[in-house]
DNA sequence: ATAATTATGTGACAATAATCACGACAATCT
DNA sequence: AGATTGTCGTGATTATTGTCACATAATTAT
């Protein structure tokens, strides 16, 4: 199966652990985490091993401790403000999402030219893009979510990089050029829908083949 | 680097090709596709080779033909209606996104209990969940986007599977159980933001190391 | 005490994926 | 026509990733 990569998996583990904490569970096991997310227990242990996370022989893992170690390894054990560029369809959805507040990630402000003046009506304040520079001088943010139209994405990255942003989540479909010391995560939602079509077709074909075999 | 997998890449190639078509470009080369998305040209050729896509020796690829072949291989050369379950923050964003209409993927209806009666005001009609079954009897849809709260996701999958849906895009954070002949693509947006934090930290550390080396 | 049980942790192995090196061959040039 | 160039296509090679088997430690049972 496709478990993506070790960092993604670490984040998935963290997500499960957060839910365990919420339900008041104190101890867990590789095997039971596996049941939650469908990643083999041995893979989970291997990942932990890789990151130097250790449990108790025969005793599994203390939920709170494990969660803390996962956070440390992911760099999520600190305040993590994000800014949001583009308060359109997708930007609004992200801004209004309350799940983030339970995690470590917080969107603290959005920027969109549609807003003439600064406004604090939505869950987060929305400012005109011209004020990004000033905002970042007061708020040491390192991460930005780009939910702007494809054709302005690159120029926004350039500007944001110049202002000190080093981590980007890019929802536009175009590839962005950035310096070595920054990181972009491209999230292409259209692609996410399309690949499902492929794999669904695959499943169909497999069935066909099996049917053929039986004949 | 992390180019995800061959299917994802195929979809990326398709996306570039669509843009080339729009700009009226007729011929392209592995090397120029590479420039657009940052995937090495040899990887691109290897992928094409794997899927039996062939170009012209020294002549590159005919854009329209290549696009068509990519679509065929991805299973996107046909009508691909999706239904959307959950018309909340994220559901609305997806429903209102116009990029889909230019591609092959179309969301034709949404279902949400907040709508008491059927309504056609938004870009797509939104119906109460009780009418899913009836709707699918009239419309042979195979794919669904799940943008519902975490705690109802599994029960919706069960219901949708029973009604014939075989491909799912799941935006909730919990893993879904499905039969072998169906496919779920989990898209966890919180995780997408979090992993950026990790990689940004990595870049920082790398810098630190280099600084150390110089000292 | 000793044995049995149940997890963890990790090195060895297997599978998968990416890169490289180079041959084939069509187009263009001389 | 023959040489040259540019691009493709792919087998061989290397790197990455996942799986497995089993040694190890803690706990429980006898
Ligand atoms: N909405 C979706 O479901 C969806 C799906 C796939 C991809 N995407 C991609 O996500 C991105 C955003 O999509 P959307 O649907 O939210 O688009 P949208 O048009 O609704 O929103 C874009 C927003 O960006 C703002 N904007 C424009 N220039 C700006 C600038 N320089 N600085 C700050 N803000 C600026 C616009 O005013 C607008 O509000 C696009 O690249 C789109 O291709 C969206
Ligand atoms: N919005 C985001 O940015 C974001 C980010 C990360 C994850 N998510 C995840 O995406 C999912 C949706 O998030 P959201 O922000 O859109 O939530 P939301 O609460 O705004 O929307 C959920 C919608 O689902 C509807 N719903 C409830 N039960 C239903 C049912 N049985 N059938 C059909 N519809 C039903 C609700 O009426 C609501 O409109 C959640 O699982 C959330 O964790 C969202």
């Amino acid at each position: 199966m496709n478990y993506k990569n070790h960092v993604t998996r670490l984040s998935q583990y963290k997500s499960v652990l957060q839910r365990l904490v919420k339900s008041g569970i104190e101890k867990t096991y590789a095997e039971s985490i596996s049941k939650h997310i469908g990643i083999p227990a041995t893979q989970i242990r291997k990942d932990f091993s890789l990151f130097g996370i250790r449990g108790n022989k025969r005793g599994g893992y203390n939920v709170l401790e494990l969660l803390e170690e996962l956070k440390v390894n992911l760099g999520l054990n600190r305040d993590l403000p994000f800014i949001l560029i583009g308060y359109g369809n997708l930007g609004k959805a992200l801004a209004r999402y309350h799940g983030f507040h339970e995690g470590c990630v917080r969107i603290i402000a959005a920027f969109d030219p549609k807003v003439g003046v600064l406004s604090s009506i939505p869950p987060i304040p929305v400012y005109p893009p011209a004020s990004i520079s000033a905002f970042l001088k007061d708020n040491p943010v390192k991460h930005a979510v780009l939910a702007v139209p494809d054709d302005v994405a690159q120029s926004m990255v350039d500007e944001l990089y110049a202002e000190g942003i080093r981590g980007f989540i890019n929802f536009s479909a175009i590839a962005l050029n950035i310096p070595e010391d920054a990181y972009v995560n491209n999230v292409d939602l259209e692609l996410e829908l399309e690949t499902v079509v492929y794999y669904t077709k695959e499943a169909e074909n497999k069935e066909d083949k099996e049917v053929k075999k039986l004949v």
Side-chain angles (χ1 to χ4, degrees), chain A:
Chain A
M1 253 317 128
N2 170 24
Y3 320 126
K4 315 209 168 163
N5 68 50
H6 55 132
V7 179
T8 316
R9 286 195 302 264
L10 228 54
S11 187
Q12 287 183 267
Y13 305 149
K14 200 217 63 177
S15 164
V16 172
L17 268 282
Q18 282 176 334
R19 264 179 287 142
L20 294 181
V21 168
K22 243 197 247 171
S23 0
I25 292 163
E26 286 174 11
K27 239 170 55 166
T28 191
Y29 306 89
E31 201 58 61
S32 66
I33 298 174
S34 171
K35 291 235 175 65
H36 276 94
I37 43 179
I39 293 171
T42 74
Q43 175 79 75
I44 296 175
R45 287 198 223 103
K46 196 75 197 267
D47 287 336
F48 288 176
S49 169
L50 189 69
F51 284 91
I53 295 173
R54 358 207 57 241
N56 313 303
K57 280 276 161 75
R58 207 193 156 164
Y61 304 86
N62 175 298
V63 168
L64 283 174
E65 277 170 31
L66 178 54
L67 177 56
E68 188 54 28
E69 294 208 73
L70 289 170
K71 281 190 184 178
V72 170
N73 276 290
L74 285 164
L76 297 172
N77 58 333
R78 45 181 170 145
D79 190 38
L80 279 167
F82 279 64
I83 56 171
L84 170 64
I85 315 296
Y87 196 71
N89 294 321
L90 201 54
K92 280 196 192 89
L94 293 166
R96 290 177 185 163
Y97 179 59
H98 290 286
F100 289 141
H101 304 305
E102 297 168 15
C104 315
V105 155
R106 282 184 313 129
I107 296 176
I108 60 168
F111 297 89
D112 198 301
K114 277 196 228 133
V115 204
V117 289
L118 66 85
S119 133
S120 295
I121 309 154
I124 57 164
V126 182
Y127 306 109
S131 62
I132 291 176
S133 178
F135 184 90
L136 290 178
K137 291 215 165 46
D138 295 337
N139 302 273
V141 178
K142 285 271 165 282
H143 302 277
V145 177
L146 287 176
V148 295
D150 292 11
D151 52 332
V152 299
Q154 181 65 56
S155 67
M156 287 314 296
V157 168
D158 295 343
E159 180 180 342
L160 293 166
Y161 181 87
E163 300 291 349
I165 302 287
R166 289 296 177 268
F168 298 88
I169 295 93
N170 170 35
F171 283 97
S172 83
I174 61 156
L176 301 174
N177 287 318
I178 45 149
E180 270 290 309
D181 68 334
Y183 180 82
V184 178
N185 182 13
N186 296 299
V187 180
D188 185 331
L189 294 178
E190 184 155 7
L191 186 150
E192 299 293 349
L193 302 221
E194 286 181 359
T195 52
V196 169
V197 174
Y198 177 87
Y199 287 111
T200 313
K201 196 182 58 151
E202 282 272 284
E204 261 173 43
N205 292 348
K206 243 188 241 161
E207 242 177 89
D208 286 358
K209 270 179 209 153
E210 272 158 34
V211 171
K212 254 189 201 163
K213 259 191 219 159
L214 294 175
V215 177

